[in-house]
Amino acid sequence: MQDVRFEGARLDGDRGMMRNAGFLGDRTMVNGTLNPYRDVRDELIRLRLVNASTARTYAFGFPDDRDFSLIGTDGGLLERPAPMDRVQLSPGERAEIVVRVEAGERVMLRSFPQENYGGFWQQRFGGGDDSFDILELRAARQLRASPEVPAALTEPELPDADEAIRGRHFDLKLSGINGRSMDMGRVDDTVTRGTTEVWTVRNTNGMPHNFHVHDVQFRVVEVNGSAPPAALRGPKDTVFVPHGTTMKLALRFTGPADPDVPYMYHCHLLYHEDEGMMGQFVVVEKGRSAGTPPGHAGHGGGDGNG
């Protein structure tokens, strides 16, 4: 799903005034198609949802508030299906749902207004009040019977916060993360390969942000001091962090280690990235220090946060 705006036959990418979330379109496309529909020939249909918008957050559901089963998030299946009637996805987030349809019906997957999007300004001008038709499901007059969704799906291999060797804090603001704007020649954090850490991410910036980390699938441990809702209990690499939210994430770093080649963490709203809401970290073997990112010799890598 991606929102777009047309100026004649051309795409218009102007962010406009009073929209600190970034560009917001007035129409949506699915797989590059306007006014899309899907013919359904089975009682259950599995939909893989990807928010490919640059700024817009969606709250997916159906006009009759029918329940569907959330079965997967960014990095794979949940331990068991989670029944719900709305699933919220910010830019870069993914979800897999299974929904039941009735023979002969037409039902619209929609995005609905979002109560957690922020105050009046964000609701009115940042997209929180918007609602869109996304995809029409057109059920055949006769449907093939579908087996029920299994009660157990898998055992996700998620990091254990109790195994964390250290914690880090990330304060999200449009001006940068932890008060610093992105610098390609600077390594902001150094982590040791094979270790687990807990990262605390906070947004008090008055506008919506999200947080994406390269190289890992993390566990959401807490949201504002409480256990995460079902939609955040699977493997994740991107989370929506609205104003007034603090999240704790458990991350285990098992990817390739290279002191000179960083991974990134950033807000996945494109305008916010462009404004510098990004940082970078290197993964190193035990006892190693950060090096210097390619093309920045003499700039000075590493920050002492090994």
Side-chain angles (χ1 to χ4, degrees), residues 149-195:
V149 178
L153 299 173
T154 189
E155 295 184 8
E157 295 183 3
L158 294 173
D160 186 346
D162 292 336
E163 297 178 357
I165 64 167
R166 67 164 297 168
R168 301 178 196 265
H169 289 77
F170 299 86
D171 196 30
L172 306 183
K173 295 186 182 299
L174 184 58
S175 57
I177 297 177
N178 288 341
R180 297 198 288 187
S181 183
M182 176 66 176
D183 183 340
M184 293 290 289
R186 184 185 69 231
V187 175
D188 297 289
D189 297 279
T190 305
V191 301
T192 301
R193 186 176 183 272
T195 62

Side-chain angles (χ1 to χ4, degrees), residues 42-73:
D42 299 279
E43 292 176 338
L44 295 178
I45 180 170
R46 177 177 177 176
L47 299 174
R48 294 176 174 175
L49 309 177
V50 181
N51 183 351
S53 292
T54 63
R56 184 175 296 284
T57 296
Y58 299 90
F60 294 105
F62 295 91
D64 59 3
D65 294 330
R66 70 182 64 189
D67 278 353
F68 51 82
S69 295
L70 178 72
I71 63 169
T73 52

Side-chain angles (χ1 to χ4, degrees), residues 47-209:
L47 299 174
R48 294 176 174 175
L49 309 177
V50 181
N51 183 351
S53 292
T54 63
R56 184 175 296 284
T57 296
Y58 299 90
F60 294 105
F62 295 91
D64 59 3
D65 294 330
R66 70 182 64 189
D67 278 353
F68 51 82
S69 295
L70 178 72
I71 63 169
T73 52
D74 303 343
L77 295 173
L78 300 178
E79 182 177 1
R80 59 182 60 87
M84 57 188 62
D85 60 16
R86 297 285 187 273
V87 61
Q88 188 177 42
L89 297 181
S90 62
E93 286 188 281
R94 290 89 73 197
E96 295 193 35
I97 67 172
V98 176
V99 60
R100 181 176 295 277
V101 297
E102 300 294 332
E105 76 169 339
R106 294 191 175 189
V107 60
M108 184 67 70
L109 178 69
R110 289 185 59 83
S111 176
F112 292 87
Q114 298 157 72
E115 296 179 355
N116 67 340
Y117 202 72
F120 170 80
W121 188 275
Q122 299 303 330
Q123 292 291 129
R124 177 65 181 84
F125 299 106
D129 280 340
D130 294 347
S131 185
F132 286 92
D133 287 347
I134 303 295
L135 173 70
E136 186 179 53
L137 303 179
R138 299 180 177 180
R141 292 187 179 277
Q142 290 186 325
L143 297 174
R144 290 186 292 256
S146 298
E148 294 296 327
V149 178
L153 299 173
T154 189
E155 295 184 8
E157 295 183 3
L158 294 173
D160 186 346
D162 292 336
E163 297 178 357
I165 64 167
R166 67 164 297 168
R168 301 178 196 265
H169 289 77
F170 299 86
D171 196 30
L172 306 183
K173 295 186 182 299
L174 184 58
S175 57
I177 297 177
N178 288 341
R180 297 198 288 187
S181 183
M182 176 66 176
D183 183 340
M184 293 290 289
R186 184 185 69 231
V187 175
D188 297 289
D189 297 279
T190 305
V191 301
T192 301
R193 186 176 183 272
T195 62
T196 299
E197 298 188 356
V198 170
W199 289 11
T200 300
V201 182
R202 183 181 68 166
N203 177 9
T204 58
N205 198 203
M207 66 185 72
H209 295 305

